[in-house]
Each structure stands twice: as structure tokens, then as C-alpha cells.
Amino acid sequence: MDTEDSSELPNFSLLNNTNASDSIEAAILRGRDAPPSHFLFKIESFSLLEDSIDIYRTSQFEAGGFKWRLLIYPTGDSSKNAENHISIYLELMETSSLPAGWEVNVIFNFLIFNQLQDKYDSLQDGRVRRYHAMKTKWGITKFIDLKAFHNPLKGYLIDDTCVFGAEVFVVKSTFKGECLSMIKEPATCYHLWEITEFSTLLDEKYLSEPFGDYNWRISLYPNGHAEGKDETVFSTILDWGARKFIPLHKLKDPKQGFLVNNTCIIEAEVTVLGFIKT
């Protein structure tokens, strides 16, 4: 498909701030020493380029594991009413090799070299742009006002030579999402577990019979019993409880009434308040 008429950034000019939105104007960085991280494009005899072609496509460069190129309109993208400006776009290349339903999220930055100050001026808003099969190009239609660009006092075009640059930062998606569905009228299930011959329990862990709609079990590490209440989220961790539920000496104290005739009773009450789906 022809991507040249894909959506672009809002119209604003690096050298004509009266046309810039507040958010973009605040993002203008001047006096940067570091050159562009990913691509540098020098144009000699700019006037010849300006007079001969409507659009120049640079060679490809790699950034973030993808192939890109710049599209530069030396007299403005007329299809976007950007005459008397320089338009600049960043196009994603070799998309046919990407899997079906592909999507690339990008933060990019365009720069121009100020030859008088030996600095790079950049224009960026820090927003993430989404590239996909129907939109493989993003850019700025009115990047630079040509009248100001040709002004030698500005320092961008000296001896008919100028330098542009681009930085492309691909945003890798590493987040984990989940959906919580609450139950309007949650039901509570109960289970009574009678443990006899407590003093003979030698294993580290014992499990009750399953109960409730979700086959809950009580896990017992023979070191006590008392009434308790907890609210928690069961996810990949399928076992929750209290590591120090009751001191063993208190459990075995006949005056406490927890262990009678070598028998103790554990009662569980479980109320499911909602579900989490990832």
C-alpha cells in the first residue's frame, strides 16, 4: 500500500512557534551536544534538491530490531497543505516479514543541526506512536518553516548544506494484565475437620478432604489450631495460611481446650468474593 498519505503528527514548526501547540512547544530541546542515536542525514546543495524533487527517501537504517527510513519533503507535503515548510516522516520498512496482526509502538525524535552553535535542535513530544499494517508512517508535516530555514542567521542551512537526524525507540510490551470480576452475592462454604490421635501425627503436612465448589482443602502442619480470618488473592500461589498460627505449647495446654482427648477440631470458612483472569 502507499503509505505516504498515512496519518501524521499535528502540524507544528520548529522555527515558527506561533503555529506550535503548547505541548509540542514545551518539548523543544535546544543546544544538545549529542548527535542523533540512530540516523544522520546530510544534504549538500539543498537548493538543487529543493528545485528538483518533491520527496526524498533516505536509505534504510535499523533501530529497535526494525528497519526504518526517513521521508523528507524539501518544500513541504502538499497533500497535507504544508507548503513553505519542510515535512519529515519516519516510515517502517520490510513489514511483509512481520507476523499477522503485528504492531510496533515507537517514540521517535527528529533533529536538525545548528551549524553556528554546533548543537542539535530536536522536536519531540514523547508520545507513543502505533505502527501497524494500515499505518506504517508517522511524521511532522510542518517541521521547519522554509523562510526561517533559509535564514543564514539561524544556522540550519550554511553553504547550502544542512543535517537532519532521527532517533527511534521501540517500546517493548512487557506488562501483565488481569481482570477482576466481583461476585454480587458471594456464597460461603464451611468445613469441619476433626483430627484424632494428634500426638501421633509425624508427617510435616496433612490435608483435609476437599470441600466447596472449588475443592478447597485445609492444610495442617501439626503445630496448632485457633480461629482466624484472612482475605487474600489466590493466583499462581495455591496455598495460603499462617506460618505461626498458635504456639505448640499453647495448643497442648489442657487448660486452653484446643486439644482434648488427643483430638482437635479445625473449622474453615471460605467466601469467594471475585475472580481474577489474566
Side-chain angles (χ1 to χ4, degrees):
M1 63 175 289
D2 185 359
T3 62
E4 293 181 15
D5 58 356
S6 300
S7 298
E8 70 288 330
L9 295 177
N11 294 340
F12 46 82
S13 172
L14 178 63
L15 302 179
N16 186 0
N17 288 339
T18 58
N19 294 331
S21 67
D22 292 340
S23 61
I24 299 304
E25 185 174 0
I28 295 176
L29 306 179
R30 299 192 180 278
R32 166 177 159 177
D33 293 322
S37 300
H38 299 118
F39 189 70
L40 191 69
F41 177 51
K42 182 178 181 180
I43 303 176
E44 297 177 341
S45 301
F46 181 85
S47 58
L48 297 180
L49 178 72
E50 192 176 23
D51 293 337
S52 58
I53 64 174
D54 295 328
I55 178 176
Y56 183 86
R57 298 170 174 84
T58 70
S59 58
Q60 295 184 25
F61 63 95
E62 184 174 346
F66 298 91
K67 299 289 186 179
W68 311 88
R69 72 177 177 185
L70 295 184
L71 307 180
I72 296 178
Y73 294 73
T75 58
D77 184 356
S78 58
S79 67
K80 303 296 182 181
N81 299 317
E83 293 85 354
N84 301 317
H85 289 78
I86 293 178
S87 303
I88 185 169
Y89 300 91
L90 176 69
E91 184 176 18
L92 178 60
M93 306 300 295
E94 300 183 6
T95 58
S96 60
S97 62
L98 298 177
W102 64 268
E103 179 177 304
V104 181
N105 295 301
V106 172
I107 299 175
F108 59 76
N109 179 25
F110 296 134
L111 303 95
I112 185 170
F113 186 53
N114 189 320
Q115 301 174 59
L116 294 181
Q117 298 182 10
D118 192 25
K119 306 288 184 180
Y120 289 90
D121 289 347
S122 68
L123 181 57
Q124 60 181 342
D125 63 355
R127 288 189 289 175
V128 177
R129 305 297 171 181
R130 187 169 69 94
Y131 285 77
H132 51 85
M134 299 301 294
K135 187 178 294 186
T136 59
K137 183 189 74 172
W138 283 95
I140 304 174
T141 56
K142 295 181 179 180
F143 180 57
I144 301 175
D145 178 82
L146 277 176
K147 183 178 179 179
F149 175 73
H150 281 280
N151 185 346
L153 298 179
K154 298 292 185 181
Y156 297 108
L157 186 66
I158 302 295
D159 295 331
D160 208 19
T161 298
C162 58
V163 179
F164 294 92
E167 297 175 329
V168 185
F169 303 99
V170 176
V171 180
K172 302 292 185 180
S173 178
T174 60
F175 73 94
K176 177 183 178 181
E178 64 182 29
C179 175
L180 172 62
S181 299
M182 298 299 294
I183 299 175
K184 186 176 182 179
E185 297 181 357
T188 301
C189 61
Y190 304 88
H191 183 68
L192 199 68
W193 184 19
E194 182 177 334
I195 304 170
T196 60
E197 303 299 329
F198 185 86
S199 61
T200 65
L201 302 181
L202 300 178
D203 293 340
E204 180 183 4
K205 178 181 178 181
Y206 293 85
L207 294 175
S208 72
E209 294 294 323
F211 63 95
D213 295 336
Y214 301 97
N215 290 325
W216 302 102
R217 290 177 181 266
I218 302 173
S219 298
L220 173 67
Y221 295 81
N223 55 3
H225 164 72
E227 181 179 348
K229 180 180 180 181
D230 190 21
E231 295 180 2
T232 189
V233 176
F234 285 83
S235 54
T236 55
I237 301 176
L238 302 179
D239 192 354
W240 285 88
R243 293 182 179 272
K244 296 181 179 180
F245 198 41
I246 187 173
L248 192 57
H249 68 85
K250 186 176 182 180
L251 173 68
K252 295 182 177 181
D253 185 351
K255 296 180 181 180
Q256 300 294 328
F258 295 121
L259 189 62
V260 179
N261 296 326
N262 208 21
T263 298
C264 66
I265 298 175
I266 298 176
E267 182 178 359
E269 176 181 320
V270 181
T271 302
V272 179
L273 301 178
F275 301 92
I276 293 178
K277 296 180 180 179
T278 59

